[in-house]
Coordinates of all heavy atoms in Angstrom, one line a residue:
M1449 N -10.6 25.8 2.0 CA -11.5 25.0 1.1 C -12.6 24.5 2.0 O -12.4 23.9 3.1 CB -10.8 23.9 0.4 CG -11.6 23.1 -0.4 SD -10.6 21.8 -1.3 CE -11.8 21.1 -2.4
S1450 N -13.8 24.6 1.5 CA -15.0 24.1 2.3 C -15.7 23.0 1.5 O -15.9 23.2 0.3 CB -15.9 25.2 2.7 OG -17.0 24.8 3.4
I1451 N -16.1 22.0 2.1 CA -16.8 20.9 1.5 C -18.3 21.0 1.8 O -18.7 21.1 3.0 CB -16.3 19.5 1.9 CG1 -14.8 19.4 1.7 CG2 -17.1 18.4 1.3 CD1 -14.5 19.3 0.2
D1452 N -19.2 21.1 0.8 CA -20.6 21.1 1.0 C -21.2 19.7 0.9 O -20.5 18.7 0.6 CB -21.3 22.1 0.1 CG -21.1 21.8 -1.4 OD1 -20.3 20.8 -1.7 OD2 -21.6 22.5 -2.2
T1453 N -22.5 19.6 1.1 CA -23.1 18.2 1.0 C -23.1 17.6 -0.4 O -22.9 16.4 -0.5 CB -24.6 18.3 1.5 OG1 -25.3 19.3 0.8 CG2 -24.6 18.7 3.0
S1454 N -23.2 18.4 -1.4 CA -23.1 17.9 -2.8 C -21.7 17.3 -3.1 O -21.6 16.3 -3.7 CB -23.5 18.9 -3.8 OG -22.6 20.0 -3.8
T1455 N -20.7 18.0 -2.6 CA -19.3 17.5 -2.8 C -19.1 16.2 -2.0 O -18.5 15.3 -2.4 CB -18.3 18.6 -2.4 OG1 -18.6 19.7 -3.2 CG2 -16.9 18.1 -2.7
A1456 N -19.6 16.2 -0.7 CA -19.5 15.0 0.1 C -20.2 13.8 -0.6 O -19.7 12.7 -0.5 CB -20.1 15.3 1.5
A1457 N -21.4 14.1 -1.2 CA -22.1 13.0 -1.9 C -21.3 12.5 -3.1 O -21.2 11.3 -3.3 CB -23.5 13.5 -2.3
K1458 N -20.6 13.4 -3.8 CA -19.8 13.0 -4.9 C -18.6 12.2 -4.5 O -18.3 11.2 -5.1 CB -19.4 14.2 -5.7 CG -18.6 13.9 -6.9 CD -18.3 15.2 -7.7 CE -17.5 14.8 -9.0 NZ -17.1 16.0 -9.7
V1459 N -18.0 12.6 -3.4 CA -16.8 11.8 -2.9 C -17.3 10.5 -2.4 O -16.6 9.4 -2.7 CB -16.2 12.6 -1.7 CG1 -15.1 11.8 -1.0 CG2 -15.5 13.9 -2.2
A1460 N -18.4 10.4 -1.8 CA -18.9 9.1 -1.3 C -19.2 8.2 -2.5 O -18.9 7.0 -2.5 CB -20.2 9.3 -0.4
K1461 N -19.8 8.8 -3.6 CA -20.1 8.0 -4.8 C -18.8 7.5 -5.4 O -18.7 6.3 -5.8 CB -20.9 8.8 -5.7 CG -21.2 8.0 -7.0 CD -22.0 8.9 -7.9 CE -22.4 8.1 -9.2 NZ -23.1 8.9 -10.2
L1462 N -17.8 8.3 -5.5 CA -16.5 7.9 -6.1 C -15.8 6.8 -5.3 O -15.1 6.0 -5.8 CB -15.6 9.2 -6.2 CG -16.0 10.2 -7.3 CD1 -15.1 11.4 -7.2 CD2 -15.9 9.6 -8.7
A1463 N -16.0 6.9 -3.9 CA -15.4 5.9 -3.0 C -16.3 4.7 -2.9 O -15.9 3.7 -2.2 CB -15.2 6.5 -1.7
R1464 N -17.4 4.7 -3.6 CA -18.4 3.6 -3.6 C -18.8 3.3 -2.2 O -18.9 2.1 -1.8 CB -17.8 2.4 -4.3 CG -17.4 2.6 -5.7 CD -17.5 1.4 -6.5 NE -16.9 1.4 -7.9 CZ -17.2 2.2 -8.9 NH1 -18.1 3.2 -8.7 NH2 -16.7 2.1 -10.0
I1465 N -19.1 4.4 -1.4 CA -19.6 4.3 -0.1 C -21.1 4.8 -0.1 O -21.3 5.9 -0.5 CB -18.8 5.1 0.9 CG1 -17.3 4.6 0.9 CG2 -19.4 5.0 2.3 CD1 -16.4 5.5 1.7
R1466 N -22.0 4.0 0.4 CA -23.4 4.4 0.5 C -23.6 5.2 1.7 O -23.3 4.8 2.8 CB -24.3 3.2 0.5 CG -25.8 3.6 0.5 CD -26.8 2.5 0.4 NE -26.4 1.5 1.4 CZ -26.8 0.2 1.3 NH1 -27.6 -0.2 0.3 NH2 -26.5 -0.7 2.2
V1467 N -24.0 6.5 1.5 CA -24.3 7.4 2.6 C -25.7 7.9 2.5 O -26.1 8.3 1.4 CB -23.3 8.6 2.6 CG1 -23.6 9.5 3.7 CG2 -21.9 8.1 2.7
E1468 N -26.5 7.7 3.5 CA -27.9 8.2 3.5 C -27.9 9.7 3.4 O -27.0 10.4 3.9 CB -28.6 7.7 4.8 CG -28.6 6.2 5.0 CD -29.3 5.5 3.8 OE1 -30.3 6.1 3.3 OE2 -29.0 4.3 3.5
E1469 N -29.0 10.2 2.8 CA -29.1 11.6 2.6 C -29.0 12.4 3.9 O -28.4 13.5 3.9 CB -30.5 11.9 1.9 CG -30.6 13.3 1.4 CD -29.7 13.5 0.1 OE1 -29.5 12.6 -0.6 OE2 -29.3 14.7 0.0
D1470 N -29.5 11.9 5.0 CA -29.5 12.7 6.2 C -28.1 12.6 6.9 O -27.9 13.4 7.8 CB -30.6 12.1 7.2 CG -30.4 10.7 7.6 OD1 -29.8 9.9 6.7 OD2 -30.8 10.3 8.6
Q1471 N -27.2 11.8 6.4 CA -25.9 11.7 7.0 C -24.9 12.6 6.2 O -23.7 12.7 6.7 CB -25.4 10.2 7.0 CG -26.2 9.3 7.9 CD -26.0 9.7 9.3 OE1 -25.0 10.0 9.8 NE2 -27.1 9.6 10.0
L1472 N -25.3 13.1 5.1 CA -24.4 13.9 4.3 C -23.8 15.2 5.0 O -22.7 15.5 4.9 CB -25.0 14.3 2.9 CG -25.1 13.1 1.9 CD1 -25.9 13.6 0.7 CD2 -23.7 12.7 1.5
P1473 N -24.7 15.9 5.7 CA -24.1 17.1 6.4 C -23.0 16.7 7.4 O -22.0 17.4 7.5 CB -25.3 17.7 7.1 CG -26.5 17.3 6.3 CD -26.1 15.9 5.8
A1474 N -23.2 15.6 8.1 CA -22.2 15.2 9.1 C -20.9 14.7 8.4 O -19.8 15.0 8.8 CB -22.7 14.0 9.9
L1475 N -21.1 14.1 7.2 CA -19.9 13.7 6.4 C -19.2 14.9 5.9 O -17.9 14.9 6.0 CB -20.3 12.8 5.3 CG -19.2 12.2 4.4 CD1 -18.2 11.4 5.2 CD2 -19.8 11.5 3.2
A1476 N -19.9 15.9 5.4 CA -19.3 17.1 5.0 C -18.5 17.8 6.1 O -17.4 18.3 5.9 CB -20.3 18.0 4.4
Q1477 N -19.1 17.8 7.3 CA -18.4 18.4 8.4 C -17.1 17.6 8.8 O -16.1 18.2 9.1 CB -19.3 18.4 9.6 CG -18.7 19.1 10.9 CD -18.2 20.5 10.6 OE1 -18.9 21.3 10.0 NE2 -17.1 20.8 11.2
E1478 N -17.1 16.3 8.7 CA -15.9 15.5 8.9 C -14.9 15.8 7.9 O -13.7 16.0 8.2 CB -16.3 14.0 8.9 CG -17.0 13.5 10.1 CD -16.2 13.5 11.3 OE1 -15.0 13.2 11.3 OE2 -16.8 13.9 12.4
F1479 N -15.3 15.9 6.6 CA -14.3 16.3 5.6 C -13.7 17.7 5.9 O -12.5 17.9 5.7 CB -15.0 16.3 4.2 CG -15.2 15.0 3.6 CD1 -16.2 14.8 2.7 CD2 -14.4 13.9 4.0 CE1 -16.5 13.5 2.2 CE2 -14.7 12.6 3.4 CZ -15.7 12.5 2.5
N1480 N -14.5 18.6 6.3 CA -14.0 20.0 6.6 C -13.0 19.9 7.8 O -12.0 20.6 7.8 CB -15.1 20.9 6.9 CG -15.8 21.3 5.6 OD1 -15.2 21.5 4.6 ND2 -17.2 21.4 5.7
T1481 N -13.3 19.1 8.8 CA -12.4 18.9 9.9 C -11.1 18.4 9.5 O -10.0 18.8 9.9 CB -13.1 18.0 11.0 OG1 -14.3 18.6 11.4 CG2 -12.2 17.9 12.2
I1482 N -11.1 17.4 8.7 CA -9.9 16.7 8.1 C -9.1 17.8 7.4 O -7.8 17.9 7.5 CB -10.2 15.5 7.3 CG1 -10.8 14.4 8.2 CG2 -9.0 15.0 6.6 CD1 -11.4 13.2 7.4
L1483 N -9.7 18.5 6.5 CA -9.0 19.5 5.7 C -8.5 20.6 6.6 O -7.4 21.2 6.3 CB -10.0 20.1 4.7 CG -10.4 19.2 3.5 CD1 -11.4 19.9 2.6 CD2 -9.2 18.8 2.7
G1484 N -9.1 20.9 7.7 CA -8.6 21.9 8.7 C -7.3 21.4 9.3 O -6.3 22.2 9.4
F1485 N -7.2 20.1 9.6 CA -6.0 19.5 10.2 C -4.9 19.6 9.1 O -3.7 19.9 9.5 CB -6.2 18.1 10.6 CG -7.0 18.0 11.9 CD1 -8.0 17.0 12.0 CD2 -6.8 18.8 13.0 CE1 -8.8 16.9 13.1 CE2 -7.6 18.7 14.1 CZ -8.6 17.7 14.2
I1486 N -5.2 19.3 7.9 CA -4.2 19.3 6.8 C -3.7 20.8 6.6 O -2.5 21.0 6.4 CB -4.8 18.8 5.5 CG1 -5.1 17.3 5.7 CG2 -3.9 19.0 4.3 CD1 -5.8 16.6 4.5
E1487 N -4.6 21.8 6.7 CA -4.1 23.1 6.6 C -3.2 23.5 7.8 O -2.3 24.3 7.6 CB -5.3 24.1 6.5 CG -6.1 24.0 5.2 CD -7.3 24.8 5.2 OE1 -7.6 25.5 6.2 OE2 -8.0 24.8 4.2
Q1488 N -3.4 23.0 8.9 CA -2.6 23.3 10.1 C -1.1 22.7 9.8 O -0.2 23.3 10.2 CB -3.1 22.6 11.4 CG -4.2 23.3 12.0 CD -4.7 22.7 13.3 OE1 -4.2 21.5 13.6 NE2 -5.5 23.3 14.0
L1489 N -1.0 21.6 9.1 CA 0.3 21.1 8.8 C 1.1 22.0 7.9 O 2.3 22.0 8.0 CB 0.2 19.7 8.1 CG -0.4 18.6 9.0 CD1 -0.5 17.3 8.2 CD2 0.6 18.3 10.1
S1490 N 0.4 22.8 7.1 CA 1.2 23.7 6.2 C 1.8 24.9 7.0 O 2.7 25.5 6.5 CB 0.3 24.2 5.1 OG -0.7 25.0 5.6
E1491 N 1.3 25.1 8.2 CA 1.9 26.1 9.0 C 3.2 25.8 9.7 O 3.9 26.6 10.2 CB 0.9 26.5 10.1 CG -0.4 27.1 9.5 CD -1.5 27.3 10.6 OE1 -1.2 27.1 11.8 OE2 -2.6 27.7 10.2
V1492 N 3.5 24.5 9.7 CA 4.7 24.0 10.4 C 6.0 24.4 9.6 O 6.0 24.2 8.4 CB 4.7 22.5 10.6 CG1 5.9 22.0 11.3 CG2 3.5 22.1 11.5
D1493 N 7.0 25.0 10.3 CA 8.2 25.3 9.6 C 9.1 24.1 9.6 O 9.6 23.6 10.6 CB 8.9 26.5 10.4 CG 10.2 26.9 9.7 OD1 10.3 26.7 8.5 OD2 11.0 27.5 10.4
V1494 N 9.4 23.6 8.4 CA 10.2 22.4 8.2 C 11.5 22.8 7.5 O 12.2 21.8 7.0 CB 9.4 21.3 7.4 CG1 8.3 20.8 8.3 CG2 8.9 21.8 6.1
D1495 N 11.9 24.0 7.4 CA 13.1 24.4 6.7 C 14.3 23.8 7.5 O 14.4 23.9 8.7 CB 13.3 25.9 6.7 CG 12.3 26.5 5.7 OD1 11.8 25.8 4.8 OD2 11.9 27.7 5.9
G1496 N 15.2 23.2 6.8 CA 16.4 22.6 7.4 C 16.1 21.2 8.1 O 17.0 20.7 8.7
V1497 N 14.9 20.7 8.0 CA 14.7 19.4 8.5 C 14.9 18.3 7.5 O 14.3 18.4 6.4 CB 13.2 19.3 9.1 CG1 12.9 17.9 9.6 CG2 13.0 20.3 10.2
E1498 N 15.8 17.4 7.7 CA 16.1 16.3 6.8 C 14.9 15.3 6.7 O 14.3 15.0 7.7 CB 17.3 15.6 7.2 CG 18.6 16.4 7.1 CD 19.0 16.7 5.6 OE1 18.8 15.8 4.8 OE2 19.4 17.8 5.4
P1499 N 14.6 14.9 5.5 CA 13.6 13.8 5.4 C 14.1 12.6 6.0 O 15.2 12.3 6.0 CB 13.4 13.6 3.9 CG 14.1 14.8 3.2 CD 15.1 15.3 4.2
M1500 N 13.1 11.8 6.6 CA 13.5 10.6 7.3 C 12.5 9.5 7.0 O 11.4 9.7 6.7 CB 13.7 10.8 8.8 CG 12.4 11.2 9.5 SD 12.7 11.4 11.2 CE 11.1 11.5 11.9
V1501 N 13.0 8.3 7.1 CA 12.2 7.1 6.9 C 11.9 6.4 8.2 O 11.1 5.4 8.2 CB 12.8 6.1 5.9 CG1 12.9 6.8 4.5 CG2 14.1 5.7 6.3
S1502 N 12.5 6.8 9.2 CA 12.3 6.1 10.5 C 12.6 7.1 11.6 O 13.3 8.1 11.4 CB 13.3 4.9 10.7 OG 13.2 4.4 12.0
V1503 N 12.1 6.9 12.8 CA 12.3 7.8 13.9 C 13.7 7.6 14.5 O 14.2 8.4 15.3 CB 11.2 7.7 15.0 CG1 9.9 8.1 14.5 CG2 11.1 6.3 15.5
T1504 N 14.3 6.4 14.2 CA 15.7 6.2 14.7 C 16.6 6.4 13.6 O 16.4 5.9 12.5 CB 15.8 4.7 15.2 OG1 15.4 3.8 14.2 CG2 14.9 4.5 16.4
P1505 N 17.8 7.0 13.8 CA 18.7 7.3 12.8 C 19.6 6.1 12.5 O 20.6 5.8 13.1 CB 19.6 8.4 13.3 CG 19.5 8.3 14.8 CD 18.1 7.7 15.1
M1506 N 19.1 5.3 11.5 CA 19.9 4.1 11.2 C 19.8 3.8 9.7 O 18.8 4.3 9.0 CB 19.4 2.8 12.0 CG 18.0 2.4 11.7 SD 17.5 1.0 12.7 CE 16.1 0.5 11.9
R1507 N 20.7 3.1 9.2 CA 20.7 2.7 7.8 C 20.4 1.2 7.6 O 20.8 0.5 8.5 CB 22.0 3.1 7.1 CG 22.3 4.6 7.0 CD 23.5 4.9 6.3 NE 23.6 4.2 5.0 CZ 23.3 4.8 3.8 NH1 22.8 6.0 3.8 NH2 23.4 4.2 2.7
L1508 N 19.8 0.9 6.5 CA 19.5 -0.5 6.3 C 20.9 -1.2 6.0 O 21.7 -0.6 5.3 CB 18.6 -0.7 5.1 CG 17.1 -0.2 5.4 CD1 16.3 -0.4 4.1 CD2 16.5 -1.0 6.5
K1509 N 21.0 -2.4 6.4 CA 22.2 -3.2 6.1 C 22.2 -3.6 4.7 O 21.2 -3.9 4.1 CB 22.3 -4.4 7.0 CG 22.4 -4.1 8.5 CD 22.5 -5.4 9.3 CE 22.6 -5.0 10.7 NZ 22.6 -6.2 11.6
R1510 N 23.3 -3.5 4.0 CA 23.4 -3.8 2.6 C 24.4 -4.9 2.4 O 25.3 -5.1 3.2 CB 23.9 -2.6 1.8 CG 22.9 -1.4 2.0 CD 23.3 -0.3 1.1 NE 22.5 0.9 1.4 CZ 21.5 1.3 0.6 NH1 21.3 0.6 -0.5 NH2 20.8 2.3 0.9
R1511 N 24.2 -5.7 1.4 CA 25.1 -6.8 1.1 C 25.3 -6.8 -0.4 O 24.6 -6.2 -1.2 CB 24.5 -8.1 1.5 CG 23.2 -8.5 0.8 CD 22.7 -9.9 1.2 NE 21.4 -10.2 0.6 CZ 21.2 -10.5 -0.6 NH1 22.1 -10.6 -1.5 NH2 19.9 -10.8 -1.0
E1512 N 26.3 -7.5 -0.8 CA 26.7 -7.6 -2.2 C 25.5 -8.4 -2.9 O 25.0 -9.3 -2.4 CB 28.0 -8.3 -2.4 CG 29.2 -7.5 -1.9 CD 29.4 -6.3 -2.8 OE1 29.3 -6.4 -4.0 OE2 29.8 -5.3 -2.2
D1513 N 25.2 -8.0 -4.1 CA 24.2 -8.6 -4.9 C 24.9 -9.7 -5.8 O 25.1 -9.5 -6.9 CB 23.4 -7.6 -5.8 CG 22.2 -8.2 -6.4 OD1 21.8 -9.3 -6.0 OD2 21.7 -7.6 -7.4
I1514 N 25.1 -10.8 -5.1 CA 25.8 -11.9 -5.8 C 25.0 -13.2 -5.6 O 24.3 -13.3 -4.6 CB 27.3 -12.1 -5.4 CG1 27.3 -12.3 -3.9 CG2 28.1 -10.9 -5.7 CD1 28.7 -12.7 -3.3
V1515 N 25.1 -14.1 -6.5 CA 24.4 -15.4 -6.4 C 25.3 -16.2 -5.5 O 26.5 -16.5 -5.7 CB 24.3 -16.1 -7.8 CG1 23.7 -17.5 -7.6 CG2 23.4 -15.2 -8.7
T1516 N 24.7 -16.7 -4.4 CA 25.4 -17.5 -3.4 C 25.0 -18.9 -3.4 O 25.6 -19.7 -2.7 CB 25.2 -16.9 -2.0 OG1 23.8 -16.8 -1.7 CG2 25.8 -15.5 -1.9
D1517 N 23.8 -19.2 -4.0 CA 23.3 -20.6 -3.9 C 22.5 -20.9 -5.1 O 21.3 -20.7 -5.2 CB 22.4 -20.6 -2.6 CG 22.1 -22.1 -2.3 OD1 22.9 -22.7 -1.6 OD2 21.1 -22.6 -2.7
G1518 N 23.2 -21.3 -6.1 CA 22.5 -21.6 -7.4 C 22.9 -22.9 -8.0 O 23.7 -23.7 -7.4
N1519 N 22.5 -23.2 -9.2 CA 22.8 -24.4 -9.9 C 22.5 -25.6 -9.1 O 23.3 -26.6 -9.0 CB 24.3 -24.4 -10.3 CG 24.6 -23.2 -11.3 OD1 23.7 -22.9 -12.1 ND2 25.7 -22.6 -11.2
Q1520 N 21.3 -25.7 -8.4 CA 21.0 -26.8 -7.7 C 19.6 -27.4 -8.1 O 18.8 -27.9 -7.3 CB 20.9 -26.5 -6.2 CG 22.2 -26.1 -5.6 CD 22.1 -25.8 -4.1 OE1 21.2 -26.2 -3.5 NE2 23.2 -25.2 -3.6
Q1521 N 19.3 -27.3 -9.4 CA 18.0 -27.6 -9.9 C 17.7 -29.1 -9.6 O 16.6 -29.4 -9.2 CB 18.0 -27.4 -11.4 CG 16.6 -27.7 -12.0 CD 16.6 -27.4 -13.5 OE1 17.7 -27.4 -14.2 NE2 15.4 -27.3 -14.1
D1522 N 18.7 -30.0 -9.8 CA 18.4 -31.4 -9.5 C 18.1 -31.7 -8.0 O 17.2 -32.4 -7.7 CB 19.6 -32.2 -9.9 CG 19.9 -32.2 -11.4 OD1 18.9 -32.0 -12.1 OD2 21.0 -32.4 -11.8
K1523 N 18.8 -31.0 -7.1 CA 18.5 -31.2 -5.7 C 17.1 -30.7 -5.3 O 16.4 -31.3 -4.5 CB 19.6 -30.5 -4.8 CG 20.9 -31.1 -4.8 CD 21.8 -30.3 -3.9 CE 23.2 -30.9 -3.8 NZ 24.1 -30.1 -2.9
I1524 N 16.8 -29.5 -5.9 CA 15.5 -28.9 -5.5 C 14.3 -29.8 -6.1 O 13.4 -30.1 -5.4 CB 15.4 -27.5 -6.1 CG1 16.4 -26.6 -5.3 CG2 14.0 -26.9 -5.9 CD1 16.6 -25.2 -5.9
L1525 N 14.5 -30.2 -7.3 CA 13.4 -31.0 -7.9 C 13.3 -32.4 -7.4 O 12.3 -33.1 -7.5 CB 13.6 -31.1 -9.4 CG 13.4 -29.7 -10.2 CD1 13.7 -29.9 -11.7 CD2 12.0 -29.2 -10.0
S1526 N 14.3 -32.9 -6.7 CA 14.3 -34.2 -6.0 C 13.2 -34.2 -4.9 O 12.7 -35.3 -4.6 CB 15.6 -34.6 -5.5 OG 16.0 -33.8 -4.4
N1527 N 12.9 -33.1 -4.4 CA 11.9 -33.0 -3.3 C 10.4 -32.9 -3.9 O 9.5 -33.0 -3.1 CB 12.1 -31.8 -2.4 CG 13.4 -31.9 -1.6 OD1 13.7 -32.9 -1.2 ND2 14.0 -30.7 -1.5
A1528 N 10.3 -32.7 -5.2 CA 9.0 -32.5 -5.8 C 8.3 -33.8 -6.0 O 8.9 -34.8 -6.4 CB 9.1 -31.8 -7.1
P1529 N 7.0 -33.9 -5.7 CA 6.3 -35.2 -5.9 C 6.2 -35.5 -7.4 O 6.1 -36.6 -7.8 CB 4.9 -34.9 -5.4 CG 4.8 -33.5 -5.1 CD 6.1 -32.9 -5.1
D1530 N 6.2 -34.4 -8.3 CA 6.1 -34.6 -9.7 C 6.9 -33.5 -10.4 O 6.6 -32.3 -10.3 CB 4.7 -34.6 -10.2 CG 4.5 -35.1 -11.6 OD1 5.5 -35.5 -12.2 OD2 3.4 -34.9 -12.2
A1531 N 8.0 -33.9 -11.1 CA 8.8 -32.9 -11.8 C 9.0 -33.4 -13.3 O 9.2 -34.6 -13.5 CB 10.1 -32.7 -11.2
R1532 N 8.8 -32.5 -14.2 CA 8.9 -32.8 -15.6 C 9.8 -31.8 -16.3 O 9.5 -30.6 -16.2 CB 7.6 -32.9 -16.3 CG 6.7 -34.0 -15.7 CD 5.3 -34.1 -16.4 NE 4.4 -34.8 -15.5 CZ 3.1 -34.6 -15.5 NH1 2.6 -33.7 -16.3 NH2 2.4 -35.2 -14.7
E1533 N 10.7 -32.2 -17.1 CA 11.5 -31.3 -18.0 C 12.1 -30.2 -17.2 O 12.2 -29.0 -17.7 CB 10.6 -30.8 -19.1 CG 10.1 -31.8 -20.0 CD 9.1 -31.3 -21.1 OE1 9.1 -30.0 -21.3 OE2 8.4 -32.1 -21.6
G1534 N 12.6 -30.4 -16.0 CA 13.3 -29.4 -15.2 C 12.4 -28.5 -14.4 O 12.8 -27.4 -14.0
F1535 N 11.1 -28.8 -14.4 CA 10.1 -27.9 -13.7 C 9.2 -28.7 -12.7 O 9.1 -29.9 -12.9 CB 9.2 -27.1 -14.7 CG 10.0 -26.3 -15.6 CD1 10.3 -26.7 -16.9 CD2 10.3 -25.0 -15.2 CE1 11.0 -25.9 -17.8 CE2 11.0 -24.1 -16.1 CZ 11.3 -24.6 -17.4
F1536 N 8.6 -28.0 -11.7 CA 7.6 -28.6 -10.9 C 6.4 -28.9 -11.8 O 5.9 -28.0 -12.5 CB 7.2 -27.7 -9.7 CG 8.3 -27.6 -8.7 CD1 9.1 -26.4 -8.6 CD2 8.5 -28.6 -7.8 CE1 10.1 -26.3 -7.7 CE2 9.5 -28.4 -6.8 CZ 10.3 -27.3 -6.8
A1537 N 5.8 -30.0 -11.7 CA 4.5 -30.3 -12.3 C 3.4 -30.2 -11.3 O 3.5 -30.8 -10.3 CB 4.6 -31.7 -13.0
V1538 N 2.4 -29.4 -11.6 CA 1.3 -29.3 -10.7 C 0.0 -29.6 -11.4 O -0.1 -29.5 -12.6 CB 1.2 -27.8 -10.2 CG1 2.4 -27.5 -9.3 CG2 1.1 -26.8 -11.3
P1539 N -1.0 -30.0 -10.7 CA -2.3 -30.3 -11.3 C -3.0 -29.0 -11.9 O -2.8 -27.9 -11.4 CB -3.2 -30.8 -10.2 CG -2.4 -30.7 -8.9 CD -1.1 -30.2 -9.2
K1540 N -3.7 -29.2 -12.9 CA -4.4 -28.1 -13.6 C -5.5 -27.6 -12.7 O -6.3 -28.4 -12.2 CB -5.0 -28.6 -14.9 CG -5.6 -27.6 -15.7 CD -6.1 -28.2 -17.1 CE -6.9 -27.2 -17.9 NZ -7.3 -27.8 -19.2
V1541 N -5.6 -26.3 -12.4 CA -6.6 -25.8 -11.6 C -7.7 -25.0 -12.3 O -8.7 -24.6 -11.7 CB -6.0 -25.0 -10.4 CG1 -5.2 -25.9 -9.5 CG2 -5.1 -23.9 -11.0
V1542 N -7.4 -24.6 -13.5 CA -8.3 -23.8 -14.3 C -8.8 -24.6 -15.5 O -7.9 -25.2 -16.2 CB -7.7 -22.5 -14.8 CG1 -8.7 -21.7 -15.6 CG2 -7.2 -21.7 -13.6
E1543 N -10.0 -24.7 -15.8 CA -10.5 -25.5 -16.9 C -10.7 -24.6 -18.1 O -11.0 -23.5 -18.1 CB -11.8 -26.2 -16.5 CG -11.6 -27.2 -15.5 CD -12.9 -27.9 -15.2 OE1 -13.8 -28.0 -16.0 OE2 -13.0 -28.4 -14.0

């Protein structure tokens, strides 16, 4: 796939990037270079390679999904400068 200057101008417009007319050929060339690198990736043989999320083979630690610290509404609201009806009261910021 080859990108010409009109396609580069369209991409720049969609990305809301102002590109001067004389810079469009250079931008088109950059796009073509990037697409060339992407095409090189399709040549890599990845058969039998397991997908990974990290370069180190480790698993995230897991814990039980249980409530360990709840039913303390009174203690938490005792720290609030202003609490009403079981909630934090804050000043109005939108008129």
Side-chain angles (χ1 to χ4, degrees):
M1449 180 176 186
S1450 181
I1451 303 291
D1452 58 358
T1453 55
S1454 64
T1455 306
K1458 184 176 180 180
V1459 171
K1461 181 180 178 184
L1462 289 172
R1464 303 208 189 302
I1465 300 171
R1466 182 175 49 198
V1467 179
E1468 300 299 328
E1469 193 70 30
D1470 61 333
Q1471 295 296 320
L1472 285 175
L1475 181 63
Q1477 181 58 41
E1478 287 292 322
F1479 284 154
N1480 286 321
T1481 303
I1482 292 168
L1483 290 175
F1485 288 137
I1486 293 171
E1487 288 175 3
Q1488 283 182 349
L1489 290 176
S1490 67
E1491 298 173 3
V1492 177
D1493 181 21
V1494 293
D1495 291 336
V1497 177
E1498 291 291 322
M1500 62 182 193
V1501 295
S1502 174
V1503 294
T1504 57
M1506 63 181 196
R1507 292 184 53 93
L1508 294 175
K1509 296 179 182 177
R1510 300 184 186 258
R1511 63 173 173 80
E1512 292 292 321
D1513 189 16
I1514 56 173
V1515 176
T1516 57
D1517 195 83
N1519 297 324
Q1520 297 184 15
Q1521 183 179 20
D1522 295 333
K1523 286 183 182 179
I1524 293 170
L1525 291 176
S1526 69
N1527 293 324
D1530 188 9
R1532 298 179 198 152
E1533 300 175 15
F1535 297 98
F1536 290 101
V1538 295
K1540 184 178 178 181
V1541 294
V1542 178
E1543 294 183 25

